Amino acid sequence: MSEDSAAVLDRSATGGEACAGGARSKPRDRIVAAARDMFHAQGFRGVGVEAIAEAAGTNKMTLYRHFGSKDELIVECLRSVFAEGEALWAALEERHHADPRAHLVAWVREKAEYVLTDCRGCTLANAAVEITEADHPARRYIEERKAAYRVRLTALCAAAGAAQAELLADALSLLLEGARVSRQSGGMDDPHTKFMRTAEAMIGAFAGR
Amino acid sequence: MSEDSAAVLDRSATGGEACAGGARSKPRDRIVAAARDMFHAQGFRGVGVEAIAEAAGTNKMTLYRHFGSKDELIVECLRSVFAEGEALWAALEERHHADPRAHLVAWVREKAEYVLTDCRGCTLANAAVEITEADHPARRYIEERKAAYRVRLTALCAAAGAAQAELLADALSLLLEGARVSRQSGGMDDPHTKFMRTAEAMIGAFAGR
DNA sequence: ATTGGACGTTACCGACCGGTAACAACAGCG
DNA sequence: CGCTGTTGTTACCGGTCGGTAACGTCCAAT
């Protein structure tokens, strides 16, 4: 009952690089990997640091040697999540750098698939819902990143020839965020389908066909 | 520091009836009223029963005489929130019973104003995000109510002459849910404005003009 | 006036949580 | 080899939380 979940999630947390041999990744990386999963699945307030350390195959003391507090660990997890999103965006950009409109609908498709796969929504948005302390460091970070994401999506919509790029970008954001939260609260079958259909219809309406 | 917040929220929690004289409403009603506010503002896991009882001008023991557990109280609060939504819907229906399309855009307007006013989103959806236990009684309730709300909105869209009533209803739901959560995570100025503009444009596209 | 039921008050319980101290084991590296 | 920095282990602290027991108080109905 003690070490049954140790080396299970021995992923390399830096990206997709293989960790040579049977060598475990460094404790810090395992901690943020485990914390990301558990925070996402059970909520930030629903997971204790001890459980995180155990799931990461280490212990609480080591965790606190790398992160000054649970709140710092939370912020680091959000950073990690956002970085992953950045990587996905960069991949899309590279694949469709010549055709912004194709980039945009590829983005919609990807997000739709993500909504289909994961039933616990956007970690950033969930954090905003769950972390209510106004001065929590995670709040500032979330706002920054959501804003940054918005200007990028707006730029893409503009590049795709949208009539009102900002309005289209915001509408798409609303739809996506709504699809993710609707997935959690039930009451709608296949929100990702509805998201994709409406989003693509919207792109068609704003950016010609 | 002890009884400074006692008789402050002495609202009659049954609706709009005036409570005659200076008579306080019953403890049970004050408890759910206080709990609703605090859960909404600070999250379900972020508020303790003792704080709720104190804010309601009573004490923990009385709270547990009315509610078997904190989880039961949570469900009761969700029930109360939903009942309030029902009342608002009924009022709209009565005012626009002859014109479903007017009813629909009035609904959009009302929700837009709500998004503008309240910065902590939909209590039902927040609960779905925050309460991660799969077997929590609140989960079942949320799913039921969201589903019920959906069939009603779909019926309204159909009555308003929408081409694809279900798709329109779901799209509006996505937009609304997205607007509410976007209000919390920042990154967008005036989500309610964007919600109203896109929603009305959508109604126009689906239900003629 | 008596009674019964709802409410208030205090104290308490066990469990958990975030965070820390102290010390042992272990690596790599000169 | 010895040294240094990272990790593992255990035990502990204060605080908070959900929930309960026991008893006192008040009011309303009979």
Side-chain angles (χ1 to χ4, degrees), chain B residues 5-6 9 24 27 30-31 34-35 38 47-64 73:
Chain B
S5 63
L9 34 93
R24 298 167 60 129
R30 280 179 293 156
I31 288 171
M38 300 181 72
V47 179
V49 287
E50 190 134 32
I52 294 173
E54 187 178 351
T58 176
N59 54 301
K60 198 163 53 163
M61 201 58 237
T62 304
L63 188 151
Y64 275 104
L73 174 59

Coordinates of all heavy atoms in Angstrom, one line a residue, chain B residues 5-6 9 24 27 30-31 34-35 38 47-64 73, chain C residues 8:
Chain B
S5 N -21.7 40.6 12.1 CA -22.3 40.3 10.8 C -23.6 39.5 11.0 O -24.0 38.6 10.3 CB -21.4 39.4 10.0 OG -21.1 38.2 10.6
A6 N -24.3 39.7 12.1 CA -25.4 38.9 12.5 C -26.7 39.2 11.7 O -27.0 38.5 10.7 CB -25.7 39.0 14.0
L9 N -27.7 40.1 6.9 CA -28.4 39.5 5.8 C -29.6 38.8 6.2 O -29.8 37.6 6.1 CB -27.4 38.5 5.1 CG -26.4 37.7 5.9 CD1 -27.0 36.4 6.3 CD2 -25.2 37.5 5.1
R24 N -37.0 38.3 12.3 CA -36.0 37.6 11.5 C -36.6 36.4 10.8 O -37.5 35.8 11.4 CB -34.8 37.1 12.3 CG -34.1 38.3 13.0 CD -33.1 37.7 14.1 NE -32.2 36.8 13.4 CZ -30.8 37.0 13.6 NH1 -30.4 38.0 14.3 NH2 -30.0 36.1 13.1
P27 N -34.0 30.3 10.8 CA -32.6 30.0 10.7 C -32.3 29.2 9.4 O -31.3 29.5 8.8 CB -32.3 29.2 12.0 CG -33.3 29.7 12.9 CD -34.5 30.1 12.2
R30 N -32.0 31.5 6.5 CA -30.8 32.4 6.6 C -29.6 31.6 6.3 O -28.7 32.1 5.7 CB -30.7 33.0 8.0 CG -31.6 34.2 8.2 CD -31.5 34.7 9.6 NE -32.0 33.7 10.6 CZ -31.6 33.6 11.9 NH1 -30.7 34.5 12.3 NH2 -32.1 32.7 12.7
I31 N -29.6 30.3 6.7 CA -28.4 29.5 6.4 C -28.2 29.3 4.9 O -27.1 29.5 4.4 CB -28.5 28.1 7.2 CG1 -28.4 28.3 8.7 CG2 -27.5 27.1 6.7 CD1 -28.7 27.1 9.5
A34 N -27.1 32.6 3.3 CA -25.7 32.9 3.6 C -24.8 31.9 2.9 O -23.7 32.3 2.3 CB -25.4 32.8 5.1
A35 N -25.1 30.6 2.9 CA -24.3 29.6 2.2 C -24.2 29.9 0.7 O -23.1 29.8 0.1 CB -24.9 28.2 2.5
M38 N -21.8 32.8 0.1 CA -20.4 32.4 0.5 C -19.9 31.4 -0.5 O -18.7 31.5 -0.9 CB -20.3 32.0 1.9 CG -20.8 33.1 2.9 SD -20.6 32.6 4.6 CE -18.8 32.6 4.8
V47 N -15.2 27.4 1.9 CA -16.0 27.9 3.0 C -16.3 26.8 4.0 O -16.7 25.7 3.6 CB -17.3 28.5 2.5 CG1 -18.1 29.0 3.6 CG2 -17.0 29.6 1.5
G48 N -16.1 27.1 5.2 CA -16.4 26.1 6.3 C -17.8 26.3 6.8 O -18.3 27.4 6.8
V49 N -18.3 25.2 7.4 CA -19.7 25.3 7.9 C -19.8 26.3 9.0 O -20.8 26.9 9.2 CB -20.2 23.9 8.3 CG1 -20.5 23.0 7.1 CG2 -19.2 23.3 9.2
E50 N -18.8 26.4 9.8 CA -18.8 27.3 10.9 C -19.0 28.7 10.5 O -19.8 29.5 11.0 CB -17.6 27.1 11.8 CG -17.6 27.9 13.1 CD -17.1 27.0 14.2 OE1 -16.2 26.2 14.0 OE2 -17.6 27.1 15.4
A51 N -18.2 29.1 9.4 CA -18.3 30.4 8.9 C -19.7 30.7 8.3 O -20.2 31.8 8.5 CB -17.2 30.6 7.8
I52 N -20.3 29.7 7.7 CA -21.6 29.9 7.2 C -22.6 30.1 8.3 O -23.4 31.1 8.3 CB -22.1 28.6 6.4 CG1 -21.2 28.5 5.1 CG2 -23.5 28.7 6.0 CD1 -21.4 27.2 4.4
A53 N -22.5 29.3 9.3 CA -23.5 29.5 10.4 C -23.3 30.8 11.1 O -24.3 31.5 11.4 CB -23.2 28.4 11.5
E54 N -22.1 31.3 11.2 CA -21.9 32.6 11.9 C -22.4 33.7 11.0 O -23.1 34.6 11.5 CB -20.4 32.8 12.1 CG -20.1 34.0 12.9 CD -18.5 34.2 13.1 OE1 -17.8 33.2 12.8 OE2 -18.1 35.3 13.6
A55 N -22.2 33.6 9.7 CA -22.7 34.6 8.8 C -24.2 34.6 8.7 O -24.8 35.6 8.5 CB -22.2 34.4 7.3
A56 N -24.8 33.5 9.0 CA -26.3 33.4 9.0 C -26.8 33.8 10.4 O -28.0 33.7 10.6 CB -26.7 32.0 8.7
G57 N -26.0 34.2 11.3 CA -26.4 34.7 12.6 C -26.9 33.5 13.5 O -27.7 33.7 14.4
T58 N -26.3 32.4 13.2 CA -26.7 31.2 14.1 C -25.4 30.4 14.3 O -24.3 31.0 14.3 CB -27.8 30.3 13.4 OG1 -28.0 29.2 14.2 CG2 -27.3 29.9 12.0
N59 N -25.5 29.2 14.6 CA -24.3 28.4 14.9 C -24.4 27.0 14.3 O -25.4 26.6 13.7 CB -24.2 28.2 16.4 CG -25.5 27.7 17.0 OD1 -26.6 28.2 16.9 ND2 -25.4 26.6 17.6
K60 N -23.2 26.4 14.4 CA -23.0 25.1 13.6 C -24.0 24.0 14.0 O -24.5 23.3 13.2 CB -21.6 24.6 13.9 CG -21.1 23.6 12.9 CD -19.6 23.5 12.9 CE -19.1 23.2 14.3 NZ -17.7 22.7 14.2
M61 N -24.4 24.0 15.3 CA -25.3 22.9 15.7 C -26.6 23.1 15.1 O -27.2 22.1 14.6 CB -25.4 23.1 17.3 CG -25.9 21.8 17.9 SD -24.8 20.4 17.6 CE -25.9 19.2 16.8
T62 N -27.1 24.3 15.0 CA -28.4 24.5 14.4 C -28.4 24.1 12.9 O -29.3 23.5 12.3 CB -28.9 25.9 14.5 OG1 -28.9 26.2 15.9 CG2 -30.2 26.1 13.9
L63 N -27.2 24.4 12.3 CA -27.1 24.1 10.9 C -27.2 22.6 10.7 O -27.9 22.1 9.8 CB -25.7 24.6 10.4 CG -25.4 24.5 8.9 CD1 -24.4 25.6 8.5 CD2 -24.8 23.1 8.5
Y64 N -26.5 21.8 11.6 CA -26.6 20.4 11.4 C -27.9 19.8 11.9 O -28.1 18.6 11.7 CB -25.4 19.8 12.2 CG -24.1 19.7 11.3 CD1 -23.1 20.6 11.6 CD2 -24.0 18.8 10.3 CE1 -22.0 20.6 10.8 CE2 -22.9 18.8 9.5 CZ -21.9 19.7 9.8 OH -20.8 19.7 9.0
L73 N -26.2 20.4 2.4 CA -26.4 21.9 2.3 C -26.0 22.4 0.9 O -26.7 23.3 0.4 CB -25.5 22.6 3.4 CG -25.5 24.1 3.3 CD1 -26.9 24.6 3.5 CD2 -24.6 24.7 4.4
Chain C
dG8 P -30.4 30.1 16.8 OP1 -30.3 31.5 16.4 OP2 -29.8 29.1 16.0 O5' -29.7 30.0 18.3 C5' -30.1 30.9 19.3 C4' -29.2 30.7 20.5 O4' -29.5 29.4 21.1 C3' -27.7 30.8 20.3 O3' -27.2 31.6 21.3 C2' -27.2 29.3 20.4 C1' -28.2 28.7 21.4 N9 -28.5 27.3 21.2 C8 -29.0 26.7 20.1 N7 -29.1 25.4 20.2 C5 -28.6 25.1 21.4 C6 -28.4 23.9 22.1 O6 -28.7 22.8 21.7 N1 -27.8 24.1 23.4 C2 -27.5 25.3 23.9 N2 -26.9 25.2 25.1 N3 -27.6 26.4 23.3 C4 -28.2 26.3 22.1

